[in-house]
Amino acid sequence: MRIVAGIDLGGTAINYTLVNGKEQFLIEGLCEHPALAKQGPEICLRQIEDGLKIAVQEAGVAVGDVVAAGLDTPGPANAEGVLSARGSTNFVHPDWAGFDIRAGLEKKLGIPVTYLNDGNAGALWGHFTLFGARSKETTLTIVIGTGLGGGVIIADNVLKGRVGFGGELGHVLLPYQSIAGIEGLKPGCNCGRIGCLESVCSLGAIERSFLPFFLPRYAGHPLAAMGLHDAAKLVRGMAEKGDPMCKEIFRIQAHAIGLFLDEMVNTFDPDAFLIGGGALETGEEFQRWFIREVRAGMPPQREEQADIPIYVMPNGDTAGARGVAIEALKQARRSGLM
Ligand SMILES: [Zn+2]
C-alpha cells in the first residue's frame, strides 16, 4: 500500500490526513496533535513526526506506507516553504526566521515533502471537492478568518506566483467607497493598505473598523459593554440570530466580497468561487443569505458570466491538510512514487 500524508501545521495544532492513490481519504474527521511551534523548529518538527506516527496507527496503516507528504503552514513563506526572515505571528521563536520548513521536514521524515501556504492548500481542497484532482477548471477560494486568505487554482495548478505570494487575495484593493452604509469609514489593514478585501471582510476588520464605526450608531447595543476583541467574536453568532447591527456588518462584508468577485470574474473568468472560513461556520440558512448578499454586492455581470456558481467551502477544519495532501499526491505521481 502506498499513501500520502497531508500535514496542516497551525499556530496551536497539527492536523493530519492520509490519502491513497484512488484519492480516498483514510481519516474521516480531524486528527490533531499539539503543534509546539512556539518552541522552535527542532521541537516542532519532532512533534510533527510523532503525530504522524499516531495518525498512521489510527488509520490502520504503517509508517512505511507513507511515500510522500504535503505540508501547509500559515505564511509568510515563499513558494518553496522558506519562512519569512522577519518572522511571523505563528512562528515567533527566533530559530524560525528564514527557516526552510519544507526541507527540514523532508529530512526529518525521510520522504519527499511538498509545501503550500495554508490559503492555497485550502483553495486546492475546495477545487478538488468540485472538480477532482485532474481538472481543467479555474476556481477562486476565499477563506474568511482573523484575516482573509485564499487561493487561485487553474486546471489543478496552484497559482503560487514568482515569490510565493500568488493568491494573496486579502490584500487586493477594492472600491470599498461604493458599499452603501459605511460612508466615511477608512478601513485600515495590517498590510498598510486602506480598503483591501481583508480590511472590510475579516474578524480583524470587525474588531478594528466595523465595531468602532457602528456601535455609536446603535445606542445601547449589548456589545458596547465589552472589549472590541471579545465583542468581535460574537458578531457572527448575533448576526445569525438576527441582531440588526451584526447582520449589517455581515451584509457589508458580503458586499465587499461581491466587489472582489467582480474583479476576479474580469481577471480569470473562473468556473466557480468558494467561500469558507470561520465567518461561514453557521447554519445553512445564514450561509444562503450571505451568498445572496454577495451576489447583491456584485456589479451587473455579462450575460454569459451571470450564473457563475458561488459555493460554501465544505469541511473547513480539514481543508488545509486535505488540500496539501492532494498537492503532494500529484507530485508523487509525477515522480513515479504513486
Ligand atoms: Zn491588506
Side-chain angles (χ1 to χ4, degrees):
M1 160 129 49
R2 284 160 182 258
I3 51 177
V4 170
I7 302 166
D8 170 49
L9 173 62
T12 55
I14 315 164
N15 182 233
Y16 296 88
T17 196
L18 298 168
V19 66
N20 65 21
K22 292 178 192 159
E23 293 158 23
Q24 294 162 328
F25 288 89
L26 310 185
I27 294 175
E28 256 319 300
L30 268 182
C31 173
E32 285 192 329
H33 200 56
L36 306 185
K38 288 189 172 64
Q39 297 180 37
E42 196 178 323
I43 290 172
C44 182
L45 290 179
R46 196 185 316 140
Q47 186 74 358
I48 292 177
E49 186 185 27
D50 292 346
L52 180 61
K53 283 180 191 154
I54 297 170
V56 163
Q57 239 167 34
E58 279 178 11
V61 289
V63 174
D65 297 335
V66 182
V67 297
L71 169 71
D72 78 287
T73 73
N78 74 12
E80 280 78 47
V82 179
L83 296 171
S84 165
R86 285 174 298 148
S88 75
T89 329
N90 290 281
F91 300 100
V92 284
H93 193 284
D95 290 355
W96 283 120
F99 186 80
D100 188 337
I101 192 166
R102 188 207 63 79
L105 186 63
E106 189 165 88
K107 199 168 156 215
K108 190 88 190 155
L109 299 180
I111 51 174
V113 172
T114 305
Y115 178 83
L116 288 178
N117 73 43
D118 55 359
N120 283 339
L124 187 58
W125 169 244
H127 183 95
F128 174 84
T129 61
L130 294 178
F131 300 116
R134 300 170 209 246
S135 70
K136 296 257 184 295
E137 284 84 355
T138 297
T139 60
L140 264 97
T141 298
I142 61 175
V143 180
I144 313 161
T146 310
L148 190 144
V152 181
I153 312 295
I154 301 173
D156 290 344
N157 293 304
V158 177
L159 184 97
K160 292 181 182 174
R162 183 172 66 90
V163 291
F165 291 119
E168 281 286 318
L169 308 179
H171 305 298
V172 173
L173 283 173
L174 297 180
Y176 71 92
Q177 299 90 338
S178 69
I179 303 171
I182 53 167
E183 292 78 7
L185 177 69
K186 279 212 179 321
C189 179
N190 290 332
C191 72
R193 291 174 181 78
I194 292 172
C196 61
L197 177 58
E198 181 171 312
S199 82
V200 279
C201 187
S202 64
L203 182 60
I206 295 175
E207 178 181 341
R208 213 168 29 236
S209 296
F210 291 137
L211 285 177
F213 182 82
F214 280 109
L215 281 171
R217 290 167 169 79
Y218 286 79
H221 195 280
L223 291 182
M226 302 175 65
L228 290 175
H229 186 71
D230 292 326
K233 292 178 192 159
L234 301 181
V235 170
R236 179 196 61 195
M238 292 181 76
E240 194 174 6
K241 289 200 182 89
D243 176 84
M245 182 190 80
C246 296
K247 211 161 174 190
E248 177 67 359
I249 289 174
F250 267 75
R251 185 190 66 80
I252 284 161
Q253 295 188 98
H255 282 223
I257 294 173
L259 290 175
F260 173 75
L261 296 192
D262 177 64
E263 294 178 337
M264 297 301 108
V265 165
N266 286 293
T267 310
F268 293 100
D269 186 21
D271 295 275
F273 291 115
L274 291 111
I275 304 176
L280 287 184
E281 280 166 19
T282 65
E284 268 181 42
E285 196 186 327
F286 187 80
Q287 291 175 342
R288 275 196 296 271
W289 169 80
F290 191 79
I291 300 291
R292 274 201 307 277
E293 288 296 332
V294 169
R295 282 200 189 279
M298 288 174 83
Q301 302 295 307
R302 291 175 198 92
E303 202 182 323
E304 303 91 309
Q305 292 172 307
D307 61 348
I308 175 165
I310 304 171
Y311 297 101
V312 173
M313 187 132 124
N315 302 358
D317 291 341
T318 56
R322 290 187 169 203
V324 83
I326 292 294
E327 180 74 358
L329 176 62
K330 287 192 295 179
Q331 282 292 342
R333 279 176 178 153
R334 268 177 227 137
S335 53
L337 282 169
M338 292 290 284

